[in-house]
Amino acid sequence: MAVKLITAMLYFVTVFYLGWRGWKETKGASDYMLAGRSVNPFIMAMSYGATFVSTSAIIGFGGVAAMFGMPLLWLAFLTIFVGVFIAMVFLGKRTRRMGLTLNCHTFPELLGKRYNSKFVQSFSGGIIFFFIPVYAAAVLTGICRMTEVSLGLPYEWMLIGITAILSLYVITGGMKAVMYTDAFQGTIMAAMMLFLLGYTYYLLGGVIPAHEKLTAMSHLMPQALQKGGIFGWTQGSAQGTPLWLVIYTTLVYGVGIGVLAQPQLVVRFMTVSSDKELNRAVLYGAIFLLLTVFVIFVVGALSNAIFFDNFGKISIQMAGGNLDKIIPVFIERIMPPWFSAAFLLAMFAAAMSTLSSQFHIGGTSLAHDVSQVVLPTKRDAKQINQLGIVITILATLIWSWLLPPSIVARATAFFFGLTGAAFLPAYVFGLYWKGMTKSGAKVSMVGGFTVSMLWMLFIHKKEAVAIGLCKALFGKATLVADAAPGSTMFLLQWVDPNVVALPVSISIAIIVSLVSRSLAEDHIQLCWQNN
């Protein structure tokens, strides 16, 4: 315990120093929101990766991998190919150029100025502000569960303590403090995950014996998962079954595609000074995600074999049925004692890097994109942004108390899917298609958001049952709950909202843009001035 506390103290001293340095270098709104547009490519890539890979990925999705197994490696592939290569090469450069040309400081402002629409800016800012606290709460829950298991400290104490620490440097230091600390924290994360993978394979006798052992354990897969369509941790699932739909529509598709429209990631493209920096950042970002997302999905699945060898139980049994505790229990019960302290710091790094970015983007969305557009004021922009961050932090803290167990991965998938449906067509078409109109953007964003929310409230079982609105209005858990078991209608309850909402959003964006009035030619030329 003493070693953990001393190591944690050294870590926080470093974080506060970097936060102080960010505060010293923050002179105006551009520094506060975009780090002066002059960030080193390594820092940008590490900040991008550390923001993307949080405790929701390591603790939450690591626990999901322990339950569903190796099929989650498809998500690891998408995070690298889509989340880094496609995002930086095909979207990042145009985002940086257009953002600089139009003098944009936030993702909603980029959309608003591209379409010359205050509604687009305020509507997108409102979605981010209202819903990012749910995603942030999932990340905060992940690190608090880790410290609960590792240090034996009460979950509620950690919620307040970690939130207070983050508040100090996010509110005062802005984007520079966020990105400096992200780079430091990302480096810790990558080093710890590399050791974790190597030691896991060492315990199981090597790569091939490890996977053979896990394959031979398929008969131990819980009956409920087998009935849902899972064959085993390496064998995958039966196509078209409920759990196949959960894995591939919610976890792989929803998160793997939704990453392209994550406002806290998009804004990082506007922090570098040239396309050359983005090119350099691709390699750094890909390596980082390979060492984090890929590693934790493999380790999560293999944890079943190690737990069974040592305790005669699979992972979900060791964690008492709570997915969010599988990785923390694995670290505490299996890994060397010194690694427990180091990994705890890596999880602090993962949580703090993502939370700082979430608080920052949520606060600036409220202050810069909603209040400044709807209710313009002459007050200092930095102070307004700081107030927005405070409100976002408080909302996150409340959600962290309300969310149920085993929620980390699902809350993350919820936000990724929602933003994908609402923002992705307007964002991508806005960068590549001059014919995308203001009306097309508005209808696409509102339509994608509406379809996504309606599907969650009345069709998708997890959210519909938890919220209960469908039950209250129609007397049944979902609108298709009474369909014949195994039928297409019945299986819709496990189809992620984004599978329906994103195609709808894309279709209406194209149709409405083709029949609506184009933006002024001089405005289009301005947007494409550097593209």
Side-chain angles (χ1 to χ4, degrees):
M1 178 67 75
V3 173
K4 291 180 182 179
L5 292 175
I6 292 171
T7 309
M9 296 250 329
L10 292 174
Y11 165 78
F12 284 119
V13 167
T14 305
V15 168
F16 281 126
Y17 164 74
L18 293 171
W20 172 82
R21 181 178 170 181
W23 172 74
K24 289 288 289 183
E25 295 177 8
T26 297
K27 306 300 181 184
S30 180
D31 284 338
Y32 194 82
M33 290 187 281
L34 286 180
R37 300 184 191 267
S38 59
V39 171
N40 177 280
F42 174 78
I43 292 178
M44 179 270 176
M46 294 301 286
S47 177
Y48 182 95
T51 300
F52 187 4
V53 181
S54 61
T55 51
S56 65
I58 296 173
I59 302 298
F61 280 84
V64 171
M67 183 169 69
F68 292 147
M70 296 298 179
L72 256 70
L73 290 180
W74 282 110
L75 176 56
F77 167 75
L78 286 183
T79 58
I80 297 172
F81 180 71
V82 176
V84 175
F85 180 72
I86 298 295
M88 291 188 181
V89 173
F90 293 98
L91 302 182
K93 295 176 182 178
R94 287 177 176 255
T95 299
R96 188 198 69 79
R97 294 177 206 156
M98 192 176 289
L100 181 62
T101 300
L102 300 178
N103 191 30
C104 302
H105 298 85
T106 65
F107 177 63
E109 186 176 26
L110 175 70
L111 295 179
K113 288 189 174 181
R114 161 61 180 88
Y115 297 109
N116 196 23
S117 170
K118 291 184 177 180
F119 172 82
V120 168
Q121 181 175 350
S122 59
F123 182 76
S124 54
I127 290 176
I128 295 168
F129 169 71
F130 280 112
F131 292 101
I132 205 167
V134 180
Y135 177 24
V139 176
L140 185 58
T141 298
I143 183 57
C144 291
R145 291 300 182 196
M146 182 73 208
T147 51
E148 179 185 26
V149 173
S150 181
L151 300 179
L153 298 175
Y155 173 76
E156 293 77 12
W157 290 13
M158 296 312 302
L159 282 179
I160 297 173
I162 293 173
T163 302
I165 292 169
L166 278 163
S167 302
L168 288 176
Y169 73 83
V170 177
I171 294 172
T172 58
M175 182 61 86
K176 284 194 173 184
V178 168
M179 296 190 78
Y180 287 160
T181 52
D182 281 356
F184 166 65
Q185 291 159 342
T187 303
I188 294 175
M189 289 164 59
M192 292 301 101
M193 298 304 288
L194 186 60
F195 179 87
L196 178 62
L197 180 67
Y199 195 77
T200 298
Y201 278 128
Y202 165 75
L203 291 176
L204 291 171
V207 176
I208 294 176
H211 289 263
E212 289 178 341
K213 183 173 293 186
L214 188 62
T215 300
M217 291 174 55
S218 60
H219 63 285
L220 296 173
M221 179 68 69
Q223 286 296 313
L225 298 183
Q226 291 186 39
K227 289 180 180 178
I230 302 288
F231 295 130
W233 288 282
T234 61
Q235 295 90 337
S237 56
Q239 186 173 347
T241 57
L243 292 183
W244 183 90
L245 291 169
V246 171
I247 294 170
Y248 290 102
T249 70
T250 297
L251 301 176
V252 176
Y253 171 79
V255 176
I257 301 300
V259 63
L260 291 175
Q262 290 303 292
Q264 71 277 16
L265 299 181
V266 172
V267 75
R268 273 153 177 73
F269 301 145
M270 296 190 281
T271 64
V272 294
S273 59
S274 71
D275 290 352
K276 185 183 294 186
E277 272 68 29
L278 277 174
N279 289 334
R280 292 173 179 171
V282 171
L283 179 60
Y284 297 136
I287 293 174
F288 177 81
L289 288 177
L290 184 66
L291 291 176
T292 50
V293 177
F294 176 83
V295 167
I296 199 59
F297 291 172
V298 171
V299 171
L302 292 174
S303 68
N304 289 282
I306 295 179
F307 277 136
F308 191 75
D309 282 351
N310 287 272
F311 303 101
K313 298 179 180 179
I314 61 173
S315 301
I316 192 67
Q317 294 169 336
M318 289 293 296
N322 189 341
L323 290 177
D324 301 336
K325 287 188 176 183
I326 290 176
I327 298 300
V329 171
F330 180 78
I331 299 301
E332 283 300 308
R333 303 292 295 272
I334 300 298
M335 301 301 290
W338 68 266
F339 184 82
S340 176
F343 190 80
L344 180 61
L345 288 190
M347 292 305 94
F348 270 117
M352 294 176 73
S353 58
T354 302
L355 283 166
S356 60
S357 299
Q358 291 168 327
F359 292 162
H360 187 270
I361 198 71
T364 55
S365 292
L366 173 65
H368 188 75
D369 301 309
V370 178
S371 66
Q372 288 288 70
V373 171
V374 178
L375 297 171
T377 177
K378 295 183 178 179
R379 291 184 62 185
D380 180 71
K382 182 178 176 182
Q383 292 180 353
I384 297 173
N385 284 314
Q386 289 174 332
L387 178 61
I389 291 172
V390 170
I391 296 173
T392 303
I393 291 172
L394 292 175
T396 300
L397 196 58
I398 293 171
W399 273 111
S400 299
W401 253 292
L402 297 177
L403 291 177
S406 299
I407 195 62
V408 173
R410 183 162 293 279
T412 302
F414 158 76
F415 184 75
F416 274 56
L418 183 64
T419 52
F423 301 149
L424 195 55
Y427 174 46
V428 175
F429 288 153
L431 296 177
Y432 276 93
W433 184 26
K434 293 182 180 180
M436 181 71 172
T437 66
K438 180 191 298 187
S439 297
K442 288 180 179 179
V443 175
S444 172
M445 292 174 63
V446 174
F449 173 78
T450 302
V451 172
S452 184
M453 291 301 295
L454 289 176
W455 195 269
M456 280 189 286
L457 292 171
F458 298 105
I459 304 293
H460 202 232
K461 188 174 182 179
K462 275 289 184 179
E463 290 85 9
V465 171
I467 295 170
L469 180 61
C470 187
K471 181 73 172 179
L473 293 178
F474 301 103
K476 49 187 177 181
T478 70
L479 293 180
V480 294
D482 51 4
S487 66
T488 300
M489 290 294 290
F490 184 78
L491 291 174
L492 289 178
Q493 296 175 100
W494 290 274
V495 174
D496 190 75
N498 206 34
V499 173
V500 178
L502 182 55
V504 169
S505 183
I506 293 172
S507 299
I508 58 180
I510 295 172
I511 293 170
V512 174
S513 292
L514 290 174
V515 300
S516 60
R517 186 175 63 181
S518 300
L519 289 161
E521 184 61 28
D522 58 344
H523 179 74
I524 294 296
Q525 292 303 319
L526 174 63
C527 292
W528 258 261
Q529 183 174 304
N530 293 313
N531 277 322

